[in-house]
Every structure is written in structure tokens, then in C-alpha cells.
Amino acid sequence: MKILFISFCISVLISSALILLSTIFSKKTILDREKTSPFECGFDPKNSSRIPFSIRFFLIAIVFLIFDIEISILLPLGLISNSVPPLVWIFIGGSFLVVVTAGLYYEWKESTLDWIT
């Protein structure tokens, strides 16, 4: 246990020293307006580069990610079909699909999936 603690302390010290050295010797530049502004073919930008995006787009992207993750959870069901009884396999897959469908129905009724409103 003592060796584990000593090796942990040494690794923390080495990591801290490397982080400290890299921040001290890193190439620092003074940030000015030209370096922080977006580059548009050598001209000053007409608009702000930080334009707000639609919250609808964000919600659709989140729903897509959620359903994408749910599909990746469903894929291993085919692999375990030989190792579990068919009734258990159907119950697990069916209950998961019911939850996914209920979530889709909720999103639909909340009109999150409507792009134009």
C-alpha cells in the first residue's frame, strides 16, 4: 500500500511539474483585435462571428443524439439472442422500444420536432 501511495505522489508531482513548465515556457502572444477576429479574405468582417443559432435546431440535434444512443443500445440485443431465453429477450427489447416510442410521442406532442412554428 505504501508503494502505491508513493508512486501516486510521484506521478502527481511529475504531472504538476510538466504542466507548470509548459505554461512557463509556452509561446505567449499578446491578443489583439486582429488576431481574435475571424478571417474573411483579408477584409474586416461585416457581421459578428457569434451569431445566435435557433434553439429549435439545438433541440432537434439533442433528440437525434438521444435516439442515436438508444439505437446503439438496441444493437447488442441481436448478439445476446442466443444466450438468453426468447421470452426474456422479447420482454427486454419490447420494453425498451416502448420507452423509446413513448419518448418520441412526448417529443411529438410537445412539438419539439416541428421545425417551423
Side-chain angles (χ1 to χ4, degrees):
M1 188 69 170
K2 188 176 180 181
I3 294 173
L4 182 66
F5 181 71
I6 291 172
S7 62
F8 174 75
C9 289
I10 289 173
S11 65
V12 167
L13 285 174
I14 290 173
S15 301
S16 300
L18 286 175
I19 290 172
L20 183 67
L21 284 174
S22 68
T23 55
I24 289 173
F25 293 118
S26 66
K27 183 178 178 182
K28 303 227 181 205
T29 57
I30 298 172
L31 299 177
D32 59 336
R33 183 174 134 2
E34 294 297 323
K35 290 183 181 178
T36 59
S37 66
F39 181 71
E40 288 185 4
C41 301
F43 298 107
D44 287 334
K46 293 181 181 179
N47 303 350
S48 172
S49 63
R50 302 284 183 195
I51 58 173
F53 61 94
S54 172
I55 195 71
R56 290 277 186 202
F57 174 76
F58 179 73
L59 289 175
I60 297 261
I62 293 295
V63 168
F64 171 76
L65 283 175
I66 290 170
F67 284 107
D68 192 38
I69 290 171
E70 289 169 350
I71 293 298
S72 67
I73 291 172
L74 273 176
L75 283 176
L77 277 178
L79 296 174
I80 65 167
S81 64
N82 293 333
S83 61
V84 294
L87 193 58
V88 173
W89 183 79
I90 290 172
F91 177 73
I92 290 173
S95 62
F96 189 76
L97 284 175
V98 164
V99 169
V100 169
T101 307
L104 179 63
Y105 179 74
Y106 175 75
E107 294 291 334
W108 194 348
K109 284 299 179 185
E110 192 182 68
S111 72
T112 303
L113 301 176
D114 293 335
W115 183 257
I116 302 172
T117 51

